[in-house]
Amino acid sequence: MPVSAPVGVGLDSAAVRARMVQRLVSAGISSPLVLQAMGAVERHRFVDSALVNQAYEDTSLPIGLGQTISKPSIVARMAELLLGAEIARESGVLGRVLEIGTGCGYQAAVLSRLAREVYSMERLRGLHDRARVNLRPLHLMNVHLMLGDGMLGYPKGAPYAGIIAAAGGASLPTDWCDQLAIGGRLVAPTVVAGGQQVLLVVDKTAHGLKQSVLESVHFVPLKSGIA
Ligand code: SAH
C-alpha cells in the first residue's frame, strides 16, 4: 500500500496553516512579514509523524531527547519582537540573527524568511542532526546549523542584529549581549526573582543596554556543554 499523506495536513496543509495564521492575528500578531513566514513554513514536516495532526494547533510538541518545539504563537511573538530591533526598523530587514536552541529546526526556517543570515546553535547532537535532515529539502542557503554550547554565543557571526533563545536560563549569558550589534535586540526567556520564567527583551543602544520584562513563558532549560 502506498504511504498516504497524513490526514488533515496532506494536500490541504496550506489551508490548515492559513487558519493558524488567522488565530495568530486574533492573538495580536500584526507583522505581515511574520504572518507570511508562519503561513509558509510547513510545521508538520518538523514533528514526529504520530503528532502530525496536532502540528497546526497552538501547542508545544515533543521533538525527542526531552525537548519541545515551541507553540506557533510564541514563535510568532518572539519573531515579531526581534523585528522590532532598532537596526531592523531602520532598514526594514534583519541582518544576521543568532538562534540558541535549533531543536527540530522549525524556528530557524521561520527566521530564514525574516533575516539575511541565521546562525542556529544546538547542544544536543541528536537534534542538531535531525534539524539538518528536516531543513535539507528546504534548501535554505541562509541558515547555518552549528553544534555547540550556545551559552557562549557564536562570536564568528557577531555582531548580530538579533539574538533569540529557545531555552531559558537563570540569567542572560554576558556573551550574548557582547555579540549584539548597536541597535540590535535580544529576545530570551529567563528566570527572574521568584522563580518565574519571563520573556526578556534587551536592546543594545550606543548608551548601553535597555531591558524590558514581558509576559511569563515556559521554555525548556538552557544548559551548558554539548551532549
Ligand atoms: N527553536 C526550536 C525549539 C527547541 S527547544 C524549534 O523550533 O524546534 C530548545 C532547544 O534548546 C533544545 O533543543 C535544547 O537542547 C537547546 N539548548 C538548551 N541549552 C542550549 C545551549 N546552551 N546551547 C544550544 N542549545 C541549547
Side-chain angles (χ1 to χ4, degrees):
M1 209 175 91
V3 179
S4 59
V7 180
V9 289
L11 292 175
D12 63 348
S13 84
V16 187
R17 261 194 315 287
R19 280 201 292 279
M20 178 188 82
V21 169
Q22 275 318 309
R23 287 196 303 272
L24 293 175
V25 171
S26 308
I29 303 297
S30 63
S31 158
L33 264 179
V34 171
L35 293 170
Q36 218 171 55
M38 296 298 294
V41 180
E42 300 185 319
R43 192 171 185 259
H44 68 274
R45 297 196 184 277
F46 292 84
V47 299
D48 193 86
S49 55
L51 300 170
V52 152
N53 288 326
Q54 286 163 265
Y56 296 104
E57 287 172 18
D58 198 31
T59 178
S60 56
L61 294 169
I63 53 173
L65 302 177
Q67 308 303 316
T68 53
I69 180 176
S70 309
K71 57 183 180 178
S73 59
I74 191 83
V75 172
R77 165 86 169 130
M78 290 174 82
E80 189 164 74
L81 285 169
L82 215 53
L83 281 177
E86 193 184 340
I87 212 170
R89 274 185 278 141
E90 281 168 2
S91 63
V93 284
L94 273 168
R96 287 193 299 277
V97 165
L98 173 65
E99 179 190 37
I100 319 295
T102 314
C104 65
Y106 171 72
Q107 182 168 264
V110 171
L111 293 172
S112 80
R113 295 175 161 264
L114 309 174
R116 264 199 291 273
E117 301 292 336
V118 178
Y119 295 86
S120 182
M121 188 161 276
E122 173 58 56
R123 64 178 289 274
L124 298 177
R125 195 177 296 272
L127 285 175
H128 168 76
D129 291 344
R130 180 177 297 193
R132 206 172 271 297
V133 169
N134 287 343
L135 290 170
R136 189 170 295 135
L138 305 186
H139 304 294
L140 304 174
M141 304 307 283
N142 65 338
V143 174
H144 314 283
L145 300 183
M146 280 104 44
L147 177 69
D149 182 357
M151 282 178 93
L152 309 171
Y154 183 63
K156 276 190 199 154
Y160 297 102
I163 299 182
I164 183 166
S171 60
L172 286 181
T174 50
D175 284 313
W176 295 357
C177 297
D178 292 347
Q179 291 172 27
L180 211 52
I182 303 283
R185 175 175 274 190
L186 161 65
V187 182
T190 306
V191 176
V192 289
Q196 205 179 19
Q197 197 185 53
V198 298
L199 212 48
L200 283 189
V201 168
V202 177
D203 287 305
K204 191 164 183 171
T205 74
H207 313 290
L209 301 172
K210 210 182 93 212
Q211 181 174 301
S212 319
V213 178
L214 305 181
E215 67 267 27
S216 70
V217 286
H218 302 281
F219 280 83
V220 295
L222 183 71
K223 294 184 177 171
S224 60
I226 302 174

